């Protein structure tokens, strides 16, 4: 029998046609991928982190490959809010998918200003708050590692926007559940995790760090088990929806996160390796559901069996 | 136009020390490629090596063959060298901005360091004038990539080797200097194109400036996506005060030599 499974999920007030989202910083402004895939097939995509003013980012080298992963120290290079709204957004408005804007500020007030500037803007479905980028010396790290500061940023954004707020958590903390709970209490509609894990690599011939910035954020398959366990922990801690990510390369990886309780998944580094990874995962999920006779993907979400082993 | 395709390897043959010529079948890439553009190859099957690797397109043949000249330097290229005819290879391309072609009156001077010949062979194939000159520098005679590996195109060439085992003993930029002295070309009738290690490119850029010759260079950076999405592949451009970053994968890999800040590491 051939039936069509329902892949729709809800992230708080936001309904997605499927649970697959392209992750911030790995999908440009979406437009870069248009020649290779139909953006309308995606559950959503998240644009590169935007700050109030444009940022040049870190000096090169910014990228180094490590076993089963990569370190990046882009330094949140971006075109800035104004140029994004003027040049990029108009080209994204007519898409039949959700465009989510990832924001990053230098202070709690800046987060507020960014949220405010996006208020009422057509074509933006939600705001993802990056409190976790480890690359920027000005204190990107500090927001996401302290529960109180995380809560303050969340509160500020929630107060200043009319859009659903997703707070993106850093894994570089002792207990991610504390941060998750704090941002839930502060009004976040969802959390997404994990951002990159801080790391470094050394050139043994020159005896210098391989990244000009010394440290960078680790992503890719190398971080998947860490990410999965954090998702598992957070799912059991908060009531708001959890969006899982970290090293998802294909449909099987995505299923691990969904079974662990993630309401949706984000695909990051995989976009570089296989530019159609997102849409391949969507068709993979559809096939899986059909094969297993699953009519609604929500049957899988959080279906992890813990007792009967 | 950019394509992501599973292509078939037609050949992968050793042409010089640690240097291979790879031929893959792609009508689309062959039809759209411009000299100076590159492709990203997915070499590993699993998660290691993870990222695609960038390679210049070094020529096309028979309308559907894309040629790549590569040197084995690490994990990915060592794996690539193992691949055999008939195997599949995932290719993304053509990517980036290629060379602006010289006009008919100009004498194209091509200066290559080692594997830097790769994009310049494609350029030579495309401009196809008999007055094209290519100067190629290699470490030693066993590293020399013969021009006829690309098929027969007419080109005047000269070779230097660091150890003097073939041709001029010394640097390829010395060949360029001699060539510029010897000829009484008007600077505006010349056009320089170069690819190779950074110190060599820097020297070529200086000579271009001294002689007022327009000079295009193809440069390298570590890349993750190759299509402007990750913002990893920057190079410094402009002078100190006006310094900005350019993205090698989409603003380049070909730049005018005066656009690049050669004093930065
Ligand atoms: C636009 C562009 C065009 C290129 N064209 C060619 C070509 O036609 N033929 C060719 O042989 N090579 C070319 N290269 C370089 C080629 O991409 C690298 O040699 C290759 O990625 C090395 O992979 P690896 O896994 O073997 O080496 P790794 O194990 O990753 O590294 C080995 C060494 O290579 C260096 N390296 C790694 N990646 C790059 C990179 N992207 N650019 C420069 N150096 C790198 C590392 O710093 C290290 O020293 C090009 C690079 C760029 C950016
Ligand atoms: C090159 C690069 C740039 C990134 N930029 C951002 C960013 O601007 N904002 C953000 O919240 N996360 C950013 N991330 C983190 C990813 O969105 C994602 O959380 C992380 O890479 C883990 O997922 P992955 O293993 O699937 O890549 C970036 C990651 C990479 C590799
Ligand atoms: S390689 Fe990703 S932006 Fe250039």
């Amino acid at each position: 029998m051939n039936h069509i499974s329902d892949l729709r999920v809800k992230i708080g007030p936001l309904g997605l046609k499927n649970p697959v989202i392209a992750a911030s910083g790995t999908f440009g402004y979406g437009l870069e991928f248009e020649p290779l895939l139909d953006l309308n097939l995606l559950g959503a995509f998240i644009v590169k982190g935007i700050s109030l003013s444009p940022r040049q980012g870190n000096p090169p080298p910014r990228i180094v490959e490590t076993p089963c992963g990569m370190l990046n120290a882009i330094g949140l290079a971006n075109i800035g809010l104004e140029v994004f709204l003027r040049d990029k957004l108009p080209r994204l408005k007519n898409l039949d998918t959700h465009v989510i804007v990832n924001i990053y500020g230098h202070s709690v007030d800046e987060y507020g200003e960014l949220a405010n500037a996006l208020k009422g803007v057509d074509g933006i479905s939600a705001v993802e708050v990056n409190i976790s980028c480890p690359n920027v010396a000005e204190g990107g790290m500090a927001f996401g590692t302290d529960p109180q500061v995380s809560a303050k940023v969340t509160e500020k954004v929630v107060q200043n926007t009319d859009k659903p707020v997703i707070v993106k958590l850093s894994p570089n903390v002792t207990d991610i559940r504390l941060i998750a709970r704090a941002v839930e209490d502060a009004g976040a509609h969802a959390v997404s995790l994990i951002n990159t894990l801080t790391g470094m690599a050394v050139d043994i011939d020159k005896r210098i760090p391989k990244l000009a910035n010394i440290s960078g954020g680790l992503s890719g398959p190398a971080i998947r088990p860490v990410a999965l366990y954090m998702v598992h922990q957070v799912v059991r801690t908060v009531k708001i929806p959890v969006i899982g990510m970290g090293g998802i390369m294909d449909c099987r990886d995505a299923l691990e996160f969904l079974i662990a309780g993630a309401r949706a998944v984000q695909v990051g580094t995989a976009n570089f390796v296989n530019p159609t990874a997102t849409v391949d995962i969507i068709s993979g999920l559809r096939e899986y559901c059909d094969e297993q006779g699953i009519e609604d993907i929500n049957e899988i979400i959080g279906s992890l069996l813990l007792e009967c082993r | 136009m950019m394509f992501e395709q599973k292509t078939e390897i037609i050949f992968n043959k050793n042409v010089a020390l640690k240097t291979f010529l790879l031929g893959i079948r792609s009508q689309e890439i062959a039809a759209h490629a411009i000299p100076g553009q590159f492709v990203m190859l997915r070499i590993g099957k699993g998660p290691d090596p993870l990222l695609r690797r960038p390679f210049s397109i070094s020529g096309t043949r028979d309308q559907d063959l894309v040629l790549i000249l590569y040197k084995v330097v690490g994990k990915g290229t060592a794996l690539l060298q193992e691949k055999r005819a008939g195997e599949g290879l995932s290719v993304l391309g053509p990517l980036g901005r290629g060379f602006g072609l010289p006009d008919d009156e100009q004498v194209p001077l091509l200066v290559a360091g080692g594997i830097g010949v790769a994009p310049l062979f494609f350029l030579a194939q495309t401009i196809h004038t008999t007055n094209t000159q290519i100067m190629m520098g290699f470490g030693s005679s066993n590293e020399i990539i013969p021009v006829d590996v690309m098929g027969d195109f007419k080109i005047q060439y000269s070779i230097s080797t660091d150890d003097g085992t073939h041709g001029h003993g010394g640097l390829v930029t010395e060949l360029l200097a001699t060539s510029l002295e010897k000829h009484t070309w008007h600077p505006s009738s010349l056009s320089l194109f170069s690819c190779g290690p950074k110190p060599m490119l820097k020297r070529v850029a200086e000579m271009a400036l001294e002689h007022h010759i327009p000079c295009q260079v193809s440069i390298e950076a570590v890349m993750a996506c190759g299509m402007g999405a990750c913002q990893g592949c920057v190079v410094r451009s402009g002078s100190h005060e006006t310094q900005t970053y350019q993205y090698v994968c989409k603003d380049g890999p070909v730049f005018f030599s005066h656009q690049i800040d050669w004093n930065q590491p």
Side-chain angles (χ1 to χ4, degrees), chain B residues 53-56 69-71 73-77 115 118 220-222:
Chain B
R53 299 290 195 263
F55 296 93
S56 299
L69 261 174
Y70 68 94
K71 183 136 196 172
V73 297
K75 218 194 247 182
T77 44
I115 195 67
E220 294 188 354
V222 182

Side-chain angles (χ1 to χ4, degrees), chain A residues 183-205:
Chain A
V183 304
E184 176 180 45
D185 291 345
H189 298 95
V191 286
S192 56
L193 62 140
I194 60 175
N195 209 317
T196 54
L197 281 157
T198 306
M200 82 181 274
V202 170
D203 181 328
I204 58 167
D205 298 319

Side-chain angles (χ1 to χ4, degrees), chain B residues 126-138:
Chain B
T126 306
I127 46 189
H128 207 76
T129 58
T130 43
N131 61 358
T132 305
Q133 307 218 3
I134 185 164
M135 291 156 242
M136 303 182 284
F138 297 97

Side-chain angles (χ1 to χ4, degrees), chain A residues 56 59 62 65 74 273, chain B residues 42 50-53 231 245:
Chain A
Q56 290 207 358
R62 291 179 174 184
E65 183 168 314
I74 307 299
V273 180
Chain B
R42 170 108 199 253
L50 180 67
L51 299 171
R52 288 171 182 264
R53 299 290 195 263
Q231 291 165 304
Y245 288 126

Side-chain angles (χ1 to χ4, degrees), chain B:
Chain B
M1 222 24 141
M2 136 172 86
F3 307 90
E4 200 248 314
Q5 295 180 328
K6 187 95 179 171
T7 62
E8 187 195 342
I9 295 177
I10 307 302
F11 52 78
N12 187 16
K13 56 185 182 204
N14 191 206
V15 294
L17 181 72
K18 288 187 174 176
T19 310
F20 291 77
L21 180 68
L22 173 73
I24 51 177
R25 175 125 37 229
S26 169
Q27 210 171 351
E28 290 79 6
I29 296 175
H32 289 89
I34 291 166
Q37 284 190 307
F38 66 100
V39 291
M40 295 286 281
L41 301 182
R42 170 108 199 253
I43 298 170
K45 287 208 167 64
D48 205 20
L50 180 67
L51 299 171
R52 288 171 182 264
R53 299 290 195 263
F55 296 93
S56 299
I57 298 166
S58 66
T60 59
R61 199 186 284 169
D62 306 334
Q63 266 132 66
D64 66 352
L65 201 57
V66 176
L67 303 174
I68 289 157
L69 261 174
Y70 68 94
K71 183 136 196 172
V72 176
V73 297
K75 218 194 247 182
T77 44
L79 261 178
L80 187 56
Q81 164 202 324
E82 300 295 320
K83 298 206 185 277
R84 297 282 166 264
E87 285 185 55
L89 188 62
S90 168
V91 183
L92 177 67
L95 301 164
R97 255 194 236 189
F99 291 107
L101 300 182
D103 50 46
D104 290 343
E105 292 84 60
Q106 280 177 320
V107 178
L109 293 182
L110 282 46
V111 185
I115 195 67
V117 297
L120 299 180
F121 276 173
F122 190 17
L123 179 68
Q125 183 194 29
T126 306
I127 46 189
H128 207 76
T129 58
T130 43
N131 61 358
T132 305
Q133 307 218 3
I134 185 164
M135 291 156 242
M136 303 182 284
F138 297 97
S140 190
S141 59
N142 58 356
E143 292 172 42
I144 294 171
I145 302 168
V147 285
D148 58 14
V149 297
M150 306 306 299
D152 66 329
F153 55 87
K154 288 177 199 62
I155 186 166
Q156 305 170 37
Y157 68 93
S158 47
I159 289 174
S160 71
T161 50
D162 296 346
D163 65 1
T165 44
H166 190 102
H168 169 74
L171 301 174
V172 69
T173 45
E174 292 160 8
L175 284 181
L176 175 61
T178 315
S179 181
L180 290 175
E181 272 163 31
K182 208 167 58 191
H183 292 86
T184 49
W185 289 310
H186 192 269
S188 67
S189 68
L190 293 177
S191 191
L192 266 169
F193 302 86
S194 190
C195 182
K198 201 154 172 204
M200 182 205 100
L201 291 179
K202 183 180 175 183
R203 184 70 200 110
V204 173
E206 285 164 1
M207 292 165 75
L209 206 64
E210 282 161 28
H211 292 84
H212 308 285
I213 306 169
C215 174
Q216 298 176 56
V217 293
S218 174
I219 61 173
E220 294 188 354
V222 182
M223 293 184 176
C225 71
M227 48 192 268
C230 74
Q231 291 165 304
C233 61
V234 288
V235 60
R236 286 183 180 90
S237 84
S239 63
H240 218 66
E241 305 81 57
T242 60
Q243 182 217 283
T244 56
Y245 288 126
Q246 305 262 353
Y247 293 100
V248 174
C249 74
K250 72 173 206 274
D251 302 324
V254 175
F255 295 92
F256 277 100
S257 61
H258 61 80
Q259 288 178 284
I260 305 297
D261 180 357
W262 297 103
N263 294 317
Q264 301 292 326

